[in-house]
DNA sequence: TAAATATTCAACCATATGGTTTAGTATCTT
DNA sequence: AAGATACTAAACCATATGGTTGAATATTTA
């Protein structure tokens, strides 16, 4: 099963589209955290926070190491690289460097049966 | 009504989390397009494509100029700057430049009643 | 062993999302 | 004026999302 760039971008951007999850990533940037740690700042159940972490994990933004009864989460910023690279192209557009944008578009990875640069 | 960074990021990332919409942005990077132009590559109704464009517009990624019966869409990459800036911080993390990350986190814009860097 | 702790699972709920179809509103063309 | 074109609106549908609560599982502590 090949996992396509597009699918990973879907998951990554969707994971980032929630302020709770972005906050969790910010917390993780300061160091590894348990689920409880990550849940603490939010007015929601542990179960709800647990689901958020699971979504971050599914997007590859977070890895989990189970140690005893604690689940220790670690930021894995690698998945963000693709998202960052995607937005990068439009930054170039915004900056007026259309030549650079076109060069970037020309090097796109394509998913079969889809014609656009997604 | 102040519109908070977090809310705009929600809308931007959510808009980017769909391959149809990312494809539309890629098309728009090559020049202005009508709704029909944007819809053409996809196997969906015009109405469905129209909804996608509306979401891009709501996220501030696209502007629309109505000329006669045609709606001409233009890429507005400005909204992407915040998303790009957000992911930028984690790029620094990934690159091992933790000092730079911490500096970036320290300059965050905060929404009242929320403590995290979202 | 019993109780507390850390977390997930399952069922449920309200709302959002992405699609459809049909109808409606302008605008352009003939 | 009539018809074609470009699009939006509204109603509808299936599934996803983000939350809840209560129960289950594992592990640590007393």
């Amino acid at each position: 099963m090949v996992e396509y760039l597009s699918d990973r971008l879907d998951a990554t951007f969707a994971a980032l589209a929630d302020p709770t999850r972005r906050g969790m990533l910010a917390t993780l940037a300061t160091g590894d955290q348990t689920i409880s740690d990550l849940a603490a700042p939010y007015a929601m159940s542990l179960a709800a926070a647990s689901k958020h972490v699971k979504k971050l994990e599914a997007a590859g933004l977070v890895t989990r190491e189970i140690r005893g009864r604690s689940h220790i989460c670690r930021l894995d910023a690698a998945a963000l690289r693709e998202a960052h690279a995607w937005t990068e192209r439009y930054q170039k557009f915004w900056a007026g460097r259309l030549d650079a944008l076109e060069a970037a578009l020309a090097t796109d990875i394509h998913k079969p049966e889809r014609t656009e640069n997604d």
Side-chain angles (χ1 to χ4, degrees), chain A:
Chain A
M1 286 297 160
V2 182
E3 207 187 342
Y4 292 102
L5 211 209
S6 184
D7 298 325
R8 278 195 308 257
L9 280 177
D10 288 0
T12 303
F13 282 128
L16 295 179
D18 182 284
T20 299
R21 289 191 292 264
R22 288 197 304 278
M24 286 176 166
L25 291 178
T27 301
L28 284 166
T30 71
D32 297 356
Q33 312 283 336
T34 65
I35 304 287
S36 301
D37 291 339
L38 291 173
Y42 303 99
M44 66 178 65
S45 67
L46 227 207
S50 167
K51 284 194 203 172
H52 280 300
V53 174
K54 195 151 61 170
K55 193 152 288 195
L56 289 169
E57 208 182 354
L61 293 164
V62 159
T63 58
R64 177 192 309 240
E65 181 200 345
I66 299 176
R67 201 175 331 176
R69 61 186 167 181
S70 293
H71 295 207
I72 298 164
C73 301
R74 170 166 296 145
L75 180 62
D76 182 357
L80 266 173
R81 291 214 307 169
E82 280 168 2
H84 190 255
W86 199 91
T87 57
E88 180 82 10
R89 308 188 317 198
Y90 297 91
Q91 286 309 107
K92 289 170 183 163
F93 181 89
W94 176 248
R97 305 215 17 249
L98 298 208
D99 53 333
L101 208 223
E102 277 159 22
L105 290 174
T107 61
D108 265 338
I109 297 167
H110 290 269
K111 178 174 176 177
E113 297 311 305
R114 289 191 51 81
T115 56
E116 312 74 30
N117 312 101
D118 57 354

